Amino acid sequence: MPVPDAPVTGVPSEPSGPAASAPVRPSRLDPAVAARLRRNADGLVAAVVRAHDSGEVLMVAWMDDEALHRTLTTGRATYWSRSRREYWVKGATSGHHQYVRSVALDCDGDALLVSVDQVGAACHTGHRTCFFTELPVTGAEA
């Protein structure tokens, strides 16, 4: 999905510092919000997605500035696919949509908490959540 012509915010057009290798993708994200983000070397921020009604953690995905802009302005969860190197709207092909109720930025600016109304499975395997595999905890306090 191509990004319409728009002012670039967030990832600098002439990278410098720790995110110098970050890809530059144009974004219409509010510059005040973009300034608060601490992106990884790929220009991305982790998005932890939870069910709005229960608080259940559903999945983790990645957003760049434009994915966050699209999420905030459309109310549909939009992510950056690291493998396909393109934007994807959750449910566009699966029908398992995420309707965004709120988005919060953590104290360090390097993670987002996205609360959604989930329609269908959140996981690409068909499970409600991506976190369905319990691991044994054997520590003394367990």
Side-chain angles (χ1 to χ4, degrees):
M1 172 185 260
V3 178
D5 291 336
V8 175
T9 63
V11 180
S13 57
E14 293 183 24
S16 61
S21 62
V24 177
R25 292 179 290 273
S27 176
R28 297 165 288 168
L29 184 63
D30 178 337
V33 174
R36 297 187 65 189
L37 297 177
R38 288 187 48 205
R39 301 158 197 81
N40 69 11
D42 294 322
L44 303 172
V45 175
V48 177
V49 184
R50 71 174 176 184
H52 178 73
D53 57 354
S54 68
E56 176 185 27
V57 176
L58 300 173
M59 59 181 271
V60 175
W62 295 94
M63 290 185 177
D64 67 356
D65 291 35
E66 182 61 15
L68 179 56
H69 167 75
R70 293 178 188 191
T71 297
L72 295 171
T73 59
T74 66
R76 300 286 304 281
T78 304
Y79 306 106
W80 175 255
S81 171
R82 296 177 299 164
S83 60
R84 295 186 312 268
R85 308 213 37 87
E86 66 184 15
Y87 296 104
W88 57 282
V89 177
K90 183 67 173 172
T93 56
S94 68
H96 299 166
H97 301 282
Q98 291 178 343
Y99 298 99
V100 178
R101 298 289 297 267
S102 66
V103 178
L105 183 62
D106 83 333
C107 59
D108 294 322
D110 60 2
L112 298 161
L113 181 60
V114 183
S115 294
V116 301
D117 288 327
Q118 178 70 48
V119 176
C123 185
H124 71 281
T125 65
H127 288 85
R128 169 142 176 90
T129 174
C130 292
F131 297 96
F132 56 86
T133 304
E134 291 283 332
L135 300 177
V137 177
T138 58
E141 298 296 318

